[in-house]
mmCIF file of all heavy atoms in Angstrom:
data_model
loop_
_atom_site.group_PDB
_atom_site.id
_atom_site.type_symbol
_atom_site.label_atom_id
_atom_site.label_comp_id
_atom_site.label_asym_id
_atom_site.label_seq_id
_atom_site.Cartn_x
_atom_site.Cartn_y
_atom_site.Cartn_z
ATOM 1 N N LEU A 1 112.456 91.080 97.814
ATOM 2 C CA LEU A 1 111.663 90.820 99.017
ATOM 3 C C LEU A 1 111.185 92.128 99.634
ATOM 4 O O LEU A 1 110.016 92.252 100.018
ATOM 5 C CB LEU A 1 112.480 90.009 100.021
ATOM 6 C CG LEU A 1 111.782 89.659 101.332
ATOM 7 C CD1 LEU A 1 110.522 88.835 101.081
ATOM 8 C CD2 LEU A 1 112.740 88.911 102.248
ATOM 9 N N ASP A 2 112.057 93.107 99.715
ATOM 10 C CA ASP A 2 111.674 94.412 100.266
ATOM 11 C C ASP A 2 110.556 95.053 99.448
ATOM 12 O O ASP A 2 109.611 95.631 100.001
ATOM 13 C CB ASP A 2 112.873 95.355 100.332
ATOM 14 C CG ASP A 2 113.874 94.957 101.392
ATOM 15 O OD1 ASP A 2 113.518 94.149 102.280
ATOM 16 O OD2 ASP A 2 115.025 95.446 101.331
ATOM 17 N N GLU A 3 110.653 94.951 98.132
ATOM 18 C CA GLU A 3 109.615 95.516 97.257
ATOM 19 C C GLU A 3 108.276 94.814 97.475
ATOM 20 O O GLU A 3 107.225 95.461 97.536
ATOM 21 C CB GLU A 3 110.031 95.418 95.782
ATOM 22 C CG GLU A 3 111.136 96.368 95.396
ATOM 23 C CD GLU A 3 110.763 97.816 95.610
ATOM 24 O OE1 GLU A 3 109.704 98.253 95.119
ATOM 25 O OE2 GLU A 3 111.538 98.528 96.276
ATOM 26 N N LYS A 4 108.309 93.504 97.596
ATOM 27 C CA LYS A 4 107.069 92.746 97.831
ATOM 28 C C LYS A 4 106.464 93.112 99.184
ATOM 29 O O LYS A 4 105.248 93.236 99.320
ATOM 30 C CB LYS A 4 107.325 91.233 97.768
ATOM 31 C CG LYS A 4 107.828 90.732 96.438
ATOM 32 C CD LYS A 4 106.789 90.832 95.365
ATOM 33 C CE LYS A 4 107.340 90.255 94.071
ATOM 34 N NZ LYS A 4 106.440 90.394 92.972
ATOM 35 N N ARG A 5 107.330 93.296 100.181
ATOM 36 C CA ARG A 5 106.833 93.687 101.504
ATOM 37 C C ARG A 5 106.219 95.081 101.480
ATOM 38 O O ARG A 5 105.208 95.323 102.129
ATOM 39 C CB ARG A 5 107.966 93.631 102.530
ATOM 40 C CG ARG A 5 108.333 92.230 102.937
ATOM 41 C CD ARG A 5 109.466 92.232 103.927
ATOM 42 N NE ARG A 5 109.753 90.891 104.395
ATOM 43 C CZ ARG A 5 110.854 90.555 105.020
ATOM 44 N NH1 ARG A 5 111.781 91.459 105.285
ATOM 45 N NH2 ARG A 5 111.041 89.315 105.411
ATOM 46 N N ARG A 6 106.854 95.994 100.742
ATOM 47 C CA ARG A 6 106.284 97.346 100.624
ATOM 48 C C ARG A 6 104.907 97.297 99.962
ATOM 49 O O ARG A 6 103.976 97.959 100.404
ATOM 50 C CB ARG A 6 107.215 98.250 99.820
ATOM 51 C CG ARG A 6 108.356 98.799 100.618
ATOM 52 C CD ARG A 6 109.140 99.854 99.825
ATOM 53 N NE ARG A 6 110.468 99.940 100.359
ATOM 54 C CZ ARG A 6 111.542 99.318 99.876
ATOM 55 N NH1 ARG A 6 111.443 98.588 98.789
ATOM 56 N NH2 ARG A 6 112.708 99.433 100.440
ATOM 57 N N ALA A 7 104.803 96.524 98.899
ATOM 58 C CA ALA A 7 103.527 96.397 98.200
ATOM 59 C C ALA A 7 102.464 95.811 99.125
ATOM 60 O O ALA A 7 101.313 96.260 99.129
ATOM 61 C CB ALA A 7 103.692 95.526 96.949
ATOM 62 N N MET A 8 102.862 94.838 99.921
ATOM 63 C CA MET A 8 101.914 94.237 100.862
ATOM 64 C C MET A 8 101.511 95.256 101.927
ATOM 65 O O MET A 8 100.355 95.296 102.335
ATOM 66 C CB MET A 8 102.517 93.008 101.521
ATOM 67 C CG MET A 8 101.548 92.313 102.413
ATOM 68 S SD MET A 8 101.870 90.579 102.389
ATOM 69 C CE MET A 8 100.877 90.086 103.749
ATOM 70 N N GLY A 9 102.441 96.088 102.351
ATOM 71 C CA GLY A 9 102.132 97.135 103.319
ATOM 72 C C GLY A 9 101.087 98.100 102.785
ATOM 73 O O GLY A 9 100.182 98.513 103.513
ATOM 74 N N VAL A 10 101.198 98.442 101.510
ATOM 75 C CA VAL A 10 100.211 99.327 100.889
ATOM 76 C C VAL A 10 98.838 98.659 100.885
ATOM 77 O O VAL A 10 97.825 99.290 101.211
ATOM 78 C CB VAL A 10 100.646 99.694 99.445
ATOM 79 C CG1 VAL A 10 99.525 100.378 98.688
ATOM 80 C CG2 VAL A 10 101.886 100.591 99.490
ATOM 81 N N LEU A 11 98.810 97.382 100.541
ATOM 82 C CA LEU A 11 97.533 96.653 100.531
ATOM 83 C C LEU A 11 96.918 96.588 101.930
ATOM 84 O O LEU A 11 95.701 96.747 102.090
ATOM 85 C CB LEU A 11 97.731 95.235 99.987
ATOM 86 C CG LEU A 11 98.098 95.132 98.505
ATOM 87 C CD1 LEU A 11 98.411 93.689 98.133
ATOM 88 C CD2 LEU A 11 96.994 95.692 97.625
ATOM 89 N N LEU A 12 97.753 96.381 102.939
ATOM 90 C CA LEU A 12 97.246 96.333 104.308
ATOM 91 C C LEU A 12 96.705 97.696 104.747
ATOM 92 O O LEU A 12 95.695 97.767 105.460
ATOM 93 C CB LEU A 12 98.337 95.855 105.260
ATOM 94 C CG LEU A 12 98.717 94.376 105.126
ATOM 95 C CD1 LEU A 12 99.960 94.060 105.943
ATOM 96 C CD2 LEU A 12 97.559 93.472 105.518
ATOM 97 N N GLN A 13 97.357 98.758 104.316
ATOM 98 C CA GLN A 13 96.859 100.103 104.621
ATOM 99 C C GLN A 13 95.511 100.342 103.939
ATOM 100 O O GLN A 13 94.605 100.944 104.531
ATOM 101 C CB GLN A 13 97.858 101.168 104.188
ATOM 102 C CG GLN A 13 99.087 101.236 105.049
ATOM 103 C CD GLN A 13 100.121 102.208 104.510
ATOM 104 O OE1 GLN A 13 100.054 102.644 103.362
ATOM 105 N NE2 GLN A 13 101.098 102.539 105.344
ATOM 106 N N GLU A 14 95.388 99.891 102.706
ATOM 107 C CA GLU A 14 94.119 100.046 101.993
ATOM 108 C C GLU A 14 93.012 99.263 102.685
ATOM 109 O O GLU A 14 91.881 99.743 102.812
ATOM 110 C CB GLU A 14 94.277 99.601 100.536
ATOM 111 C CG GLU A 14 95.149 100.531 99.719
ATOM 112 C CD GLU A 14 95.481 99.983 98.349
ATOM 113 O OE1 GLU A 14 95.105 98.837 98.019
ATOM 114 O OE2 GLU A 14 96.147 100.716 97.587
ATOM 115 N N GLU A 15 93.333 98.054 103.139
ATOM 116 C CA GLU A 15 92.343 97.262 103.867
ATOM 117 C C GLU A 15 91.932 97.979 105.156
ATOM 118 O O GLU A 15 90.747 98.028 105.495
ATOM 119 C CB GLU A 15 92.890 95.876 104.203
ATOM 120 C CG GLU A 15 91.882 95.028 104.972
ATOM 121 C CD GLU A 15 92.487 93.808 105.630
ATOM 122 O OE1 GLU A 15 93.677 93.840 105.997
ATOM 123 O OE2 GLU A 15 91.748 92.827 105.796
ATOM 124 N N ALA A 16 92.901 98.540 105.855
ATOM 125 C CA ALA A 16 92.603 99.270 107.093
ATOM 126 C C ALA A 16 91.703 100.464 106.810
ATOM 127 O O ALA A 16 90.795 100.769 107.595
ATOM 128 C CB ALA A 16 93.898 99.715 107.771
ATOM 129 N N ALA A 17 91.923 101.131 105.685
ATOM 130 C CA ALA A 17 91.072 102.264 105.316
ATOM 131 C C ALA A 17 89.640 101.786 105.052
ATOM 132 O O ALA A 17 88.676 102.452 105.457
ATOM 133 C CB ALA A 17 91.632 102.975 104.087
ATOM 134 N N PHE A 18 89.495 100.655 104.388
ATOM 135 C CA PHE A 18 88.158 100.109 104.147
ATOM 136 C C PHE A 18 87.470 99.751 105.463
ATOM 137 O O PHE A 18 86.275 100.000 105.638
ATOM 138 C CB PHE A 18 88.221 98.865 103.253
ATOM 139 C CG PHE A 18 88.496 99.144 101.804
ATOM 140 C CD1 PHE A 18 89.085 98.175 101.009
ATOM 141 C CD2 PHE A 18 88.179 100.353 101.213
ATOM 142 C CE1 PHE A 18 89.341 98.402 99.667
ATOM 143 C CE2 PHE A 18 88.431 100.599 99.875
ATOM 144 C CZ PHE A 18 89.019 99.617 99.099
ATOM 145 N N LEU A 19 88.221 99.158 106.372
ATOM 146 C CA LEU A 19 87.641 98.791 107.667
ATOM 147 C C LEU A 19 87.249 100.031 108.466
ATOM 148 O O LEU A 19 86.203 100.042 109.131
ATOM 149 C CB LEU A 19 88.621 97.918 108.456
ATOM 150 C CG LEU A 19 88.896 96.533 107.850
ATOM 151 C CD1 LEU A 19 89.998 95.824 108.617
ATOM 152 C CD2 LEU A 19 87.631 95.694 107.798
ATOM 153 N N ALA A 20 88.049 101.080 108.388
ATOM 154 C CA ALA A 20 87.708 102.337 109.063
ATOM 155 C C ALA A 20 86.456 102.944 108.436
ATOM 156 O O ALA A 20 85.583 103.474 109.144
ATOM 157 C CB ALA A 20 88.873 103.314 108.976
ATOM 158 N N GLU A 21 86.354 102.845 107.129
ATOM 159 C CA GLU A 21 85.160 103.335 106.434
ATOM 160 C C GLU A 21 83.929 102.545 106.871
ATOM 161 O O GLU A 21 82.847 103.113 107.077
ATOM 162 C CB GLU A 21 85.354 103.225 104.917
ATOM 163 C CG GLU A 21 84.218 103.778 104.108
ATOM 164 C CD GLU A 21 84.449 103.656 102.607
ATOM 165 O OE1 GLU A 21 85.589 103.393 102.173
ATOM 166 O OE2 GLU A 21 83.462 103.824 101.868
ATOM 167 N N SER A 22 84.081 101.253 107.039
ATOM 168 C CA SER A 22 82.981 100.413 107.496
ATOM 169 C C SER A 22 82.530 100.828 108.893
ATOM 170 O O SER A 22 81.319 100.920 109.159
ATOM 171 C CB SER A 22 83.417 98.943 107.491
ATOM 172 O OG SER A 22 82.401 98.116 107.994
ATOM 173 N N ASP A 23 83.492 101.083 109.783
ATOM 174 C CA ASP A 23 83.153 101.546 111.134
ATOM 175 C C ASP A 23 82.425 102.884 111.082
ATOM 176 O O ASP A 23 81.430 103.092 111.799
ATOM 177 C CB ASP A 23 84.409 101.671 111.997
ATOM 178 C CG ASP A 23 84.965 100.324 112.412
ATOM 179 O OD1 ASP A 23 84.236 99.314 112.296
ATOM 180 O OD2 ASP A 23 86.135 100.286 112.856
ATOM 181 N N ALA A 24 82.923 103.790 110.249
ATOM 182 C CA ALA A 24 82.296 105.109 110.128
ATOM 183 C C ALA A 24 80.866 104.979 109.605
ATOM 184 O O ALA A 24 79.950 105.683 110.073
ATOM 185 C CB ALA A 24 83.121 106.006 109.212
ATOM 186 N N MET A 25 80.676 104.070 108.646
ATOM 187 C CA MET A 25 79.324 103.858 108.117
ATOM 188 C C MET A 25 78.395 103.313 109.207
ATOM 189 O O MET A 25 77.233 103.718 109.291
ATOM 190 C CB MET A 25 79.365 102.892 106.918
ATOM 191 C CG MET A 25 79.877 103.521 105.653
ATOM 192 S SD MET A 25 80.084 102.340 104.284
ATOM 193 C CE MET A 25 78.491 101.590 104.187
#
C-alpha cells in the first residue's frame, strides 16, 4: 500500500507540473 501511494504521489506531482506549465504558457 505504501509503495502504491508513493507511486500515486509521483503521478500527482507530474500532473501538478503539467498544470504549472499550462499556467506559464
Side-chain angles (χ1 to χ4, degrees):
L1 180 60
D2 289 344
E3 288 300 308
K4 298 292 183 184
R5 285 179 176 164
R6 279 188 203 97
M8 184 147 168
V10 169
L11 292 174
L12 289 170
Q13 288 174 345
E14 291 171 356
E15 180 195 29
F18 286 155
L19 294 173
E21 183 180 346
S22 177
D23 287 344
M25 284 174 54

